[in-house]
Amino acid sequence: MSDLIARVAVAAPLPKALSYRIPESLQHQAQVGVRLRVPLGRRQVVGYLLGFAEQPVEGLKDVAEVLDREPLFHEQMVPFFEWAADYYCHPLGEVIRTALPAGLSGSVQGPAILTERIFALASDSDRPRGAKQRAIVDYLRQHGATAMALLKEQFGNVYNSIRRLVEQGMVEETSRELRRDPFADMPAAADIPVVPAASQQAALQTIDKALKDATFQPLLLHGVTGSGKTEVYLRAVQEALTGGRKALVLVPEIALTPQLVGRFRARFAAAGARLAVLHSGLSDGERYDAWRAVARGEADIVIGARSAVFAPVAGLGIIVVDEEHEGSYKQGDGFRYHARDLALLRGQMCGAVVLLGSATPALTTFYRAQQGQTGYLPLADRVMDRPMPTVVLVDLSQQRPEGVLAEPLRLALQENLERGEQSLLLLNRRGFAPFLLCVDCGATLRCPNCEITLTYYQQQRILRCNYCDFSLRPPDLCPACNGSQLAPEGAGTERLEEELGELLPTAVIGRMDRDTTLRKGAHQRLIDGMANRRIDVLVGTQMVAKGHDFPGVTLVGVVNADSALNLPDFRAAERAFSLLTQVAGRAGRGEQPGRVLIQTYDPDHYVLSCAARHDYRSFYEEELANRQVLGYPPFGYLANCLLAGNDEQRVIAAAEGLANSWQQLAGDGAVEVLGPAPCPLSRLRGKWRRQILLKAASRPPLRRLLSHFNALRGQVPAGVAATIDVDPLDML
Ligand code: ADP
Ligand code: ZN
């Protein structure tokens, strides 16, 4: 037998794949998509088998072990991984490691595969003697092969009887793999059959045609809140399955959108389609099971968050990206990919329809639709002729609130409670107050590890950093001047909840934010409380704005619209518009019409006036003009180079050095090198941070420049880490 050579991506910071010899004893186990143990220097590391080459090469090291019995991804995934690694300037092995389910990465051994023991009647069995043994044999004759657990349920302790039956050859023992059930604690929903509205029908026609063409087609489903986008996804997926192909459905965060998963289950589980849900709430073992089921082709529909874009589905007909504008599709550290962008690439590589859905598409997505690069499917109206909610801007400079809520919102909340209708309040700040302020000297209490104030939590009597979790008992005296008056400044959800309790003493109030939903099931309980109308008022951070469908909500209040507008980021306006539109869209989804009150000091701001009129297009025009002036996306392409380290001077020096190198390489001026400058969060988790922004009017010169990154990174001095963020979403 000739030498077989494996192309292997090792889980280490190397840009390219390496070659290893596969010893004859392992050749029958070596398939593309399995993990290997391979030597690297003096260590042994995990690698991923990407392919084979048969020419003999001298001096190659041997693969030490094949770690999987079956592939974790198929061959067509390899070019996809390679392209992603190249595009995001990230080591190939780390890309694959990020793509595969957690639990496979660190340890060499993955999570255990669970098996159960199964017993069946042997072909020629006599009647056994003991009563229990006879009962077991009769049971097996009637019911066929049965698991040990079930026999125990039927007959109590059966261990000895079974052992004797097996010894006598009357019963045969086998084992089968036990698949951990990822749906165990997901809510089921009823499938409500609806007749598609005309606009839904029109969208579906285009989608069906695209599916029949079986080529890559990007489509934007731009539907106002409550226009029935989910129904379009469901039918589009059904159409793909009918055509014998499979579907991948990406959602921003599974844990926050259980309703969508519930609707898919309700529609498809009954029809016999096999659904796999990949989400971070699963244990490592459950995720591993679901993943392997997908890799074996045992799932027709895969639903998952960001990382599900790497799910090894073969024969994809459609990829749905729900709420395509959502920031959570972008991974914020390590391999900083954008799942929507990778979904488009994947669709291109496998000839699938990519359906992007949103009420507030990303500016860049809508721009592509305007340019004709993406098909445009509008759903301009809510289902059943339901009106959009009316939106009123409450000018806080005219209506100064005593606490957090100004008079118009207080009245509206009271009225709504009296009518027995539900309200929802958005305040995008956790805790009681964003900081404690010394009334005497104006000092604030800051995190020692981060350039940020410590959030004050009153119920727990603690000050905590929302970035690094550092916490502290609130001191009695100001650490700067020994003053004795430290006052909570500003308001978070906890304070709002308290104020509401005083305003509406008889109301049931729920709070939904990261602090109240830590415990398993807590988030679901809040959603259930809203769905069955036990909760009168739900307050919370942007979590409350996610695609929930609560028909009883007729009033939505936004406590402070300005905080979102004032962030030092060129996407702040886009994000604020989308958040306001999404949360407003929670009102009036049922029979009763809805209204929205937005509190602001800046009622003339275009983001607010456009959101108040549900006018995406005017917002888009205005924002697009701003972007054009600044050369920001979609008119420019960005990459952000970040440097971080424990020693400030070293980070500064490294940033200067790297900026010089970029400058020299950029040469002709097709790419602008801006900085280095301190990041807006100039210190985070104890690390000092500097950034260099690379900006170009077209992509090719930027990509040419970025191709040097791996070499440049090697020159950065020890103690400073350089990373690159291609198409950064925020630059904090
Ligand atoms: P969106 O995601 O666009 O905000 P949803 O998909 O949540 O809207 O749909 C809103 C509600 O309208 C859901 O309760 C859904 O069952 C219902 N619905 C969708 N399509 C129709 C239709 N054609 N006729 C009646 N009700 C519909
Ligand atoms: Zn901190």
Short mmCIF file of all heavy atoms in Angstrom, two decimals, residues 125-174:
data_model
loop_
_atom_site.label_atom_id
_atom_site.label_comp_id
_atom_site.label_asym_id
_atom_site.label_seq_id
_atom_site.Cartn_x
_atom_site.Cartn_y
_atom_site.Cartn_z
N SER A 125 -36.13 -19.66 20.81
CA SER A 125 -36.13 -19.66 22.26
C SER A 125 -37.21 -20.60 22.80
O SER A 125 -38.35 -20.58 22.36
CB SER A 125 -36.33 -18.24 22.79
OG SER A 125 -37.49 -17.70 22.22
N ASP A 126 -36.82 -21.40 23.77
CA ASP A 126 -37.79 -22.24 24.47
C ASP A 126 -38.49 -21.38 25.51
O ASP A 126 -38.17 -20.23 25.69
CB ASP A 126 -37.09 -23.39 25.21
CG ASP A 126 -36.18 -24.15 24.27
OD1 ASP A 126 -36.55 -24.27 23.10
OD2 ASP A 126 -35.08 -24.56 24.72
N ARG A 127 -39.40 -22.01 26.20
CA ARG A 127 -40.01 -21.32 27.30
C ARG A 127 -39.14 -21.45 28.53
O ARG A 127 -38.79 -22.56 28.93
CB ARG A 127 -41.39 -21.89 27.59
CG ARG A 127 -42.48 -21.01 27.00
CD ARG A 127 -43.85 -21.51 27.39
NE ARG A 127 -44.45 -20.73 28.48
CZ ARG A 127 -44.75 -19.43 28.40
NH1 ARG A 127 -44.44 -18.74 27.35
NH2 ARG A 127 -45.34 -18.82 29.40
N PRO A 128 -38.72 -20.36 29.12
CA PRO A 128 -37.85 -20.44 30.29
C PRO A 128 -38.65 -20.88 31.51
O PRO A 128 -39.88 -20.96 31.46
CB PRO A 128 -37.35 -19.01 30.46
CG PRO A 128 -38.40 -18.17 29.82
CD PRO A 128 -39.04 -18.98 28.76
N ARG A 129 -37.93 -21.17 32.63
CA ARG A 129 -38.62 -21.74 33.78
C ARG A 129 -39.18 -20.69 34.72
O ARG A 129 -40.36 -20.72 35.03
CB ARG A 129 -37.69 -22.71 34.51
CG ARG A 129 -37.84 -24.12 33.91
CD ARG A 129 -37.24 -25.18 34.81
NE ARG A 129 -35.81 -25.30 34.54
CZ ARG A 129 -34.90 -25.44 35.47
NH1 ARG A 129 -35.26 -25.45 36.74
NH2 ARG A 129 -33.63 -25.55 35.16
N GLY A 130 -38.39 -19.76 35.18
CA GLY A 130 -38.87 -18.79 36.19
C GLY A 130 -40.04 -17.96 35.68
O GLY A 130 -40.18 -17.70 34.48
N ALA A 131 -40.90 -17.53 36.60
CA ALA A 131 -42.08 -16.75 36.21
C ALA A 131 -41.67 -15.41 35.62
O ALA A 131 -42.21 -14.96 34.61
CB ALA A 131 -42.97 -16.52 37.43
N LYS A 132 -40.69 -14.79 36.26
CA LYS A 132 -40.26 -13.48 35.80
C LYS A 132 -39.64 -13.60 34.41
O LYS A 132 -39.91 -12.80 33.52
CB LYS A 132 -39.25 -12.90 36.78
CG LYS A 132 -39.04 -11.41 36.63
CD LYS A 132 -38.27 -10.90 37.81
CE LYS A 132 -38.46 -9.43 38.03
NZ LYS A 132 -37.84 -9.02 39.31
N GLN A 133 -38.81 -14.67 34.25
CA GLN A 133 -38.16 -14.86 32.95
C GLN A 133 -39.23 -15.08 31.87
O GLN A 133 -39.12 -14.56 30.76
CB GLN A 133 -37.21 -16.05 33.00
CG GLN A 133 -36.00 -15.80 33.89
CD GLN A 133 -35.06 -17.00 33.88
OE1 GLN A 133 -34.95 -17.71 32.89
NE2 GLN A 133 -34.37 -17.21 34.99
N ARG A 134 -40.25 -15.84 32.23
CA ARG A 134 -41.31 -16.10 31.25
C ARG A 134 -42.02 -14.80 30.89
O ARG A 134 -42.31 -14.54 29.73
CB ARG A 134 -42.32 -17.09 31.83
CG ARG A 134 -42.03 -18.53 31.40
CD ARG A 134 -43.31 -19.37 31.38
NE ARG A 134 -43.95 -19.45 32.68
CZ ARG A 134 -43.57 -20.29 33.66
NH1 ARG A 134 -42.55 -21.11 33.47
NH2 ARG A 134 -44.20 -20.30 34.81
N ALA A 135 -42.27 -14.00 31.90
CA ALA A 135 -42.96 -12.73 31.64
C ALA A 135 -42.13 -11.85 30.71
O ALA A 135 -42.66 -11.21 29.79
CB ALA A 135 -43.21 -12.00 32.96
N ILE A 136 -40.81 -11.85 30.93
CA ILE A 136 -39.95 -11.02 30.08
C ILE A 136 -39.97 -11.52 28.65
O ILE A 136 -40.12 -10.74 27.69
CB ILE A 136 -38.50 -11.02 30.64
CG1 ILE A 136 -38.48 -10.29 31.99
CG2 ILE A 136 -37.54 -10.37 29.65
CD1 ILE A 136 -37.14 -10.37 32.70
N VAL A 137 -39.88 -12.84 28.50
CA VAL A 137 -39.88 -13.41 27.14
C VAL A 137 -41.21 -13.09 26.44
O VAL A 137 -41.23 -12.70 25.26
CB VAL A 137 -39.63 -14.93 27.20
CG1 VAL A 137 -40.01 -15.60 25.88
CG2 VAL A 137 -38.17 -15.19 27.53
N ASP A 138 -42.31 -13.22 27.16
CA ASP A 138 -43.61 -12.90 26.56
C ASP A 138 -43.66 -11.45 26.12
O ASP A 138 -44.15 -11.12 25.04
CB ASP A 138 -44.74 -13.17 27.56
CG ASP A 138 -44.95 -14.67 27.74
OD1 ASP A 138 -44.44 -15.42 26.88
OD2 ASP A 138 -45.59 -15.07 28.74
N TYR A 139 -43.13 -10.61 27.00
CA TYR A 139 -43.14 -9.17 26.70
C TYR A 139 -42.33 -8.88 25.44
O TYR A 139 -42.77 -8.15 24.55
CB TYR A 139 -42.57 -8.39 27.90
CG TYR A 139 -42.66 -6.89 27.72
CD1 TYR A 139 -43.79 -6.19 28.10
CD2 TYR A 139 -41.60 -6.18 27.16
CE1 TYR A 139 -43.88 -4.83 27.93
CE2 TYR A 139 -41.68 -4.80 26.98
CZ TYR A 139 -42.82 -4.13 27.38
OH TYR A 139 -42.90 -2.78 27.20
N LEU A 140 -41.14 -9.53 25.35
CA LEU A 140 -40.28 -9.28 24.18
C LEU A 140 -40.94 -9.82 22.91
O LEU A 140 -40.79 -9.25 21.83
CB LEU A 140 -38.91 -9.92 24.39
CG LEU A 140 -38.03 -9.27 25.48
CD1 LEU A 140 -36.70 -10.00 25.59
CD2 LEU A 140 -37.79 -7.80 25.18
N ARG A 141 -41.65 -10.93 23.05
CA ARG A 141 -42.32 -11.50 21.87
C ARG A 141 -43.35 -10.51 21.37
O ARG A 141 -43.50 -10.30 20.18
CB ARG A 141 -42.97 -12.83 22.25
CG ARG A 141 -43.64 -13.52 21.04
CD ARG A 141 -43.97 -14.98 21.33
NE ARG A 141 -42.77 -15.80 21.48
CZ ARG A 141 -42.51 -16.57 22.55
NH1 ARG A 141 -43.37 -16.63 23.56
NH2 ARG A 141 -41.40 -17.28 22.60
N GLN A 142 -44.04 -9.86 22.32
CA GLN A 142 -45.10 -8.94 21.92
C GLN A 142 -44.56 -7.61 21.41
O GLN A 142 -45.05 -7.06 20.44
CB GLN A 142 -45.98 -8.65 23.14
CG GLN A 142 -47.42 -8.97 22.89
CD GLN A 142 -48.21 -8.78 24.16
OE1 GLN A 142 -47.97 -7.84 24.92
NE2 GLN A 142 -49.14 -9.67 24.41
N HIS A 143 -43.52 -7.09 22.08
CA HIS A 143 -43.11 -5.70 21.81
C HIS A 143 -41.84 -5.57 21.01
O HIS A 143 -41.43 -4.47 20.68
CB HIS A 143 -42.92 -4.94 23.14
CG HIS A 143 -44.20 -4.76 23.88
ND1 HIS A 143 -44.67 -5.68 24.79
CD2 HIS A 143 -45.15 -3.78 23.84
CE1 HIS A 143 -45.83 -5.27 25.28
NE2 HIS A 143 -46.15 -4.12 24.71
N GLY A 144 -41.17 -6.69 20.71
CA GLY A 144 -39.90 -6.58 19.97
C GLY A 144 -38.78 -6.10 20.89
O GLY A 144 -38.93 -6.07 22.11
N ALA A 145 -37.67 -5.68 20.24
CA ALA A 145 -36.47 -5.29 21.00
C ALA A 145 -36.82 -4.18 21.99
O ALA A 145 -37.52 -3.23 21.66
CB ALA A 145 -35.39 -4.82 20.04
N THR A 146 -36.32 -4.30 23.22
CA THR A 146 -36.68 -3.38 24.28
C THR A 146 -35.44 -2.97 25.08
O THR A 146 -34.55 -3.79 25.31
CB THR A 146 -37.70 -4.03 25.23
OG1 THR A 146 -38.82 -4.49 24.46
CG2 THR A 146 -38.18 -3.06 26.28
N ALA A 147 -35.42 -1.72 25.47
CA ALA A 147 -34.28 -1.23 26.24
C ALA A 147 -34.37 -1.69 27.69
O ALA A 147 -35.45 -1.89 28.22
CB ALA A 147 -34.23 0.29 26.19
N MET A 148 -33.19 -1.83 28.30
CA MET A 148 -33.11 -2.25 29.70
C MET A 148 -33.96 -1.36 30.59
O MET A 148 -34.69 -1.85 31.45
CB MET A 148 -31.64 -2.20 30.13
CG MET A 148 -31.40 -2.59 31.56
SD MET A 148 -31.85 -4.30 31.85
CE MET A 148 -30.42 -4.89 32.71
N ALA A 149 -33.89 -0.04 30.33
CA ALA A 149 -34.61 0.90 31.19
C ALA A 149 -36.10 0.59 31.19
O ALA A 149 -36.77 0.64 32.24
CB ALA A 149 -34.35 2.32 30.72
N LEU A 150 -36.63 0.26 30.04
CA LEU A 150 -38.05 0.01 29.91
C LEU A 150 -38.43 -1.31 30.60
O LEU A 150 -39.47 -1.41 31.26
CB LEU A 150 -38.43 -0.04 28.42
CG LEU A 150 -39.91 0.11 28.11
CD1 LEU A 150 -40.45 1.41 28.71
CD2 LEU A 150 -40.15 0.11 26.62
N LEU A 151 -37.58 -2.32 30.46
CA LEU A 151 -37.83 -3.60 31.12
C LEU A 151 -37.88 -3.41 32.64
O LEU A 151 -38.70 -4.01 33.33
CB LEU A 151 -36.75 -4.62 30.74
CG LEU A 151 -36.83 -5.12 29.29
CD1 LEU A 151 -35.66 -6.05 28.98
CD2 LEU A 151 -38.16 -5.83 29.02
N LYS A 152 -36.98 -2.55 33.11
CA LYS A 152 -36.94 -2.29 34.55
C LYS A 152 -38.25 -1.66 35.00
O LYS A 152 -38.79 -1.97 36.06
CB LYS A 152 -35.80 -1.33 34.88
CG LYS A 152 -34.58 -2.02 35.44
CD LYS A 152 -33.65 -0.95 35.98
CE LYS A 152 -32.28 -1.52 36.27
NZ LYS A 152 -31.25 -0.49 36.19
N GLU A 153 -38.75 -0.73 34.16
CA GLU A 153 -40.00 -0.07 34.49
C GLU A 153 -41.14 -1.08 34.58
O GLU A 153 -42.00 -1.01 35.44
CB GLU A 153 -40.35 0.92 33.36
CG GLU A 153 -40.33 2.37 33.76
CD GLU A 153 -40.48 3.25 32.54
OE1 GLU A 153 -41.46 3.08 31.79
OE2 GLU A 153 -39.58 4.11 32.30
N GLN A 154 -41.10 -2.07 33.67
CA GLN A 154 -42.18 -3.07 33.60
C GLN A 154 -42.10 -4.08 34.73
O GLN A 154 -43.10 -4.45 35.32
CB GLN A 154 -42.08 -3.82 32.26
CG GLN A 154 -42.38 -2.97 31.05
CD GLN A 154 -43.86 -2.61 30.97
OE1 GLN A 154 -44.73 -3.36 31.41
NE2 GLN A 154 -44.15 -1.42 30.45
N PHE A 155 -40.86 -4.55 35.00
CA PHE A 155 -40.74 -5.74 35.86
C PHE A 155 -39.89 -5.51 37.10
O PHE A 155 -39.52 -6.46 37.76
CB PHE A 155 -40.13 -6.89 35.05
CG PHE A 155 -40.93 -7.23 33.82
CD1 PHE A 155 -40.49 -6.83 32.56
CD2 PHE A 155 -42.13 -7.92 33.94
CE1 PHE A 155 -41.23 -7.14 31.43
CE2 PHE A 155 -42.87 -8.21 32.79
CZ PHE A 155 -42.43 -7.82 31.54
N GLY A 156 -39.54 -4.28 37.40
CA GLY A 156 -38.69 -4.04 38.58
C GLY A 156 -37.27 -4.51 38.30
O GLY A 156 -36.79 -4.41 37.17
N ASN A 157 -36.62 -5.04 39.31
CA ASN A 157 -35.23 -5.46 39.13
C ASN A 157 -35.15 -6.70 38.24
O ASN A 157 -35.53 -7.80 38.65
CB ASN A 157 -34.62 -5.72 40.51
CG ASN A 157 -33.14 -6.01 40.37
OD1 ASN A 157 -32.60 -6.01 39.27
ND2 ASN A 157 -32.49 -6.26 41.50
N VAL A 158 -34.65 -6.54 37.03
CA VAL A 158 -34.65 -7.65 36.07
C VAL A 158 -33.24 -8.13 35.77
O VAL A 158 -33.05 -9.02 34.94
CB VAL A 158 -35.30 -7.22 34.74
CG1 VAL A 158 -36.79 -7.12 34.90
CG2 VAL A 158 -34.72 -5.92 34.23
N TYR A 159 -32.26 -7.53 36.44
CA TYR A 159 -30.88 -7.79 36.04
C TYR A 159 -30.56 -9.28 36.00
O TYR A 159 -30.07 -9.80 34.99
CB TYR A 159 -29.92 -7.06 36.99
CG TYR A 159 -28.48 -7.27 36.62
CD1 TYR A 159 -27.91 -6.56 35.58
CD2 TYR A 159 -27.72 -8.22 37.29
CE1 TYR A 159 -26.60 -6.78 35.22
CE2 TYR A 159 -26.41 -8.46 36.94
CZ TYR A 159 -25.85 -7.73 35.90
OH TYR A 159 -24.56 -7.95 35.54
N ASN A 160 -30.88 -10.02 37.08
CA ASN A 160 -30.52 -11.43 37.15
C ASN A 160 -31.28 -12.27 36.13
O ASN A 160 -30.69 -13.14 35.47
CB ASN A 160 -30.77 -11.97 38.56
CG ASN A 160 -29.64 -11.53 39.48
OD1 ASN A 160 -28.50 -11.38 39.04
ND2 ASN A 160 -29.97 -11.30 40.75
N SER A 161 -32.55 -11.99 36.00
CA SER A 161 -33.35 -12.76 35.05
C SER A 161 -32.81 -12.59 33.64
O SER A 161 -32.69 -13.55 32.88
CB SER A 161 -34.81 -12.30 35.09
OG SER A 161 -35.25 -12.15 36.41
N ILE A 162 -32.51 -11.35 33.28
CA ILE A 162 -32.00 -11.07 31.94
C ILE A 162 -30.68 -11.80 31.72
O ILE A 162 -30.45 -12.41 30.68
CB ILE A 162 -31.79 -9.55 31.76
CG1 ILE A 162 -33.14 -8.84 31.67
CG2 ILE A 162 -30.95 -9.25 30.54
CD1 ILE A 162 -33.74 -8.81 30.31
N ARG A 163 -29.83 -11.72 32.75
CA ARG A 163 -28.51 -12.34 32.60
C ARG A 163 -28.69 -13.85 32.32
O ARG A 163 -28.06 -14.41 31.43
CB ARG A 163 -27.68 -12.13 33.87
CG ARG A 163 -26.22 -12.54 33.72
CD ARG A 163 -25.41 -12.06 34.92
NE ARG A 163 -26.05 -12.46 36.18
CZ ARG A 163 -25.84 -13.64 36.78
NH1 ARG A 163 -25.01 -14.51 36.27
NH2 ARG A 163 -26.46 -13.92 37.90
N ARG A 164 -29.61 -14.49 33.04
CA ARG A 164 -29.82 -15.92 32.83
C ARG A 164 -30.37 -16.19 31.43
O ARG A 164 -29.93 -17.10 30.73
CB ARG A 164 -30.75 -16.49 33.91
CG ARG A 164 -30.07 -17.62 34.68
CD ARG A 164 -30.79 -17.95 35.96
NE ARG A 164 -30.39 -17.08 37.07
CZ ARG A 164 -31.22 -16.49 37.91
NH1 ARG A 164 -32.52 -16.64 37.79
NH2 ARG A 164 -30.76 -15.74 38.89
N LEU A 165 -31.31 -15.36 31.00
CA LEU A 165 -31.89 -15.55 29.66
C LEU A 165 -30.82 -15.42 28.57
O LEU A 165 -30.82 -16.15 27.60
CB LEU A 165 -33.00 -14.53 29.42
CG LEU A 165 -34.32 -14.78 30.16
CD1 LEU A 165 -35.23 -13.57 30.08
CD2 LEU A 165 -35.01 -16.02 29.58
N VAL A 166 -29.92 -14.47 28.78
CA VAL A 166 -28.86 -14.27 27.79
C VAL A 166 -27.90 -15.47 27.82
O VAL A 166 -27.52 -15.99 26.77
CB VAL A 166 -28.09 -12.95 28.05
CG1 VAL A 166 -26.86 -12.84 27.16
CG2 VAL A 166 -29.01 -11.75 27.81
N GLU A 167 -27.56 -15.92 29.01
CA GLU A 167 -26.67 -17.08 29.14
C GLU A 167 -27.25 -18.32 28.46
O GLU A 167 -26.54 -19.09 27.82
CB GLU A 167 -26.43 -17.39 30.62
CG GLU A 167 -25.31 -16.56 31.24
CD GLU A 167 -25.31 -16.66 32.76
OE1 GLU A 167 -26.03 -17.54 33.31
OE2 GLU A 167 -24.60 -15.85 33.39
N GLN A 168 -28.56 -18.49 28.59
CA GLN A 168 -29.21 -19.66 27.99
C GLN A 168 -29.45 -19.48 26.49
O GLN A 168 -29.99 -20.37 25.83
CB GLN A 168 -30.56 -19.91 28.66
CG GLN A 168 -30.47 -20.31 30.12
CD GLN A 168 -31.81 -20.15 30.82
OE1 GLN A 168 -32.85 -20.45 30.26
NE2 GLN A 168 -31.77 -19.66 32.05
N GLY A 169 -29.09 -18.31 25.96
CA GLY A 169 -29.23 -18.08 24.53
C GLY A 169 -30.66 -17.80 24.10
O GLY A 169 -30.99 -17.88 22.92
N MET A 170 -31.54 -17.52 25.06
CA MET A 170 -32.92 -17.26 24.66
C MET A 170 -33.15 -15.79 24.30
O MET A 170 -34.07 -15.46 23.58
CB MET A 170 -33.86 -17.64 25.80
CG MET A 170 -34.03 -19.15 25.90
SD MET A 170 -35.30 -19.56 27.07
CE MET A 170 -34.36 -20.33 28.34
N VAL A 171 -32.28 -14.92 24.85
CA VAL A 171 -32.40 -13.49 24.59
C VAL A 171 -31.05 -12.98 24.11
O VAL A 171 -30.01 -13.43 24.59
CB VAL A 171 -32.85 -12.74 25.86
CG1 VAL A 171 -32.63 -11.25 25.73
CG2 VAL A 171 -34.32 -13.03 26.15
N GLU A 172 -31.07 -12.09 23.12
CA GLU A 172 -29.82 -11.52 22.61
C GLU A 172 -29.68 -10.07 23.05
O GLU A 172 -30.66 -9.32 23.07
CB GLU A 172 -29.80 -11.60 21.08
CG GLU A 172 -29.49 -13.00 20.61
CD GLU A 172 -29.80 -13.19 19.14
OE1 GLU A 172 -30.36 -12.26 18.51
OE2 GLU A 172 -29.48 -14.28 18.63
N GLU A 173 -28.44 -9.71 23.37
CA GLU A 173 -28.20 -8.35 23.83
C GLU A 173 -27.45 -7.56 22.77
O GLU A 173 -26.48 -8.04 22.18
CB GLU A 173 -27.36 -8.37 25.12
CG GLU A 173 -27.01 -6.98 25.57
CD GLU A 173 -26.18 -6.94 26.85
OE1 GLU A 173 -26.07 -7.97 27.53
OE2 GLU A 173 -25.64 -5.87 27.13
N THR A 174 -27.89 -6.34 22.49
CA THR A 174 -27.13 -5.41 21.63
C THR A 174 -27.13 -4.06 22.34
O THR A 174 -27.71 -3.93 23.41
CB THR A 174 -27.80 -5.23 20.25
OG1 THR A 174 -29.17 -4.92 20.47
CG2 THR A 174 -27.64 -6.44 19.39
#
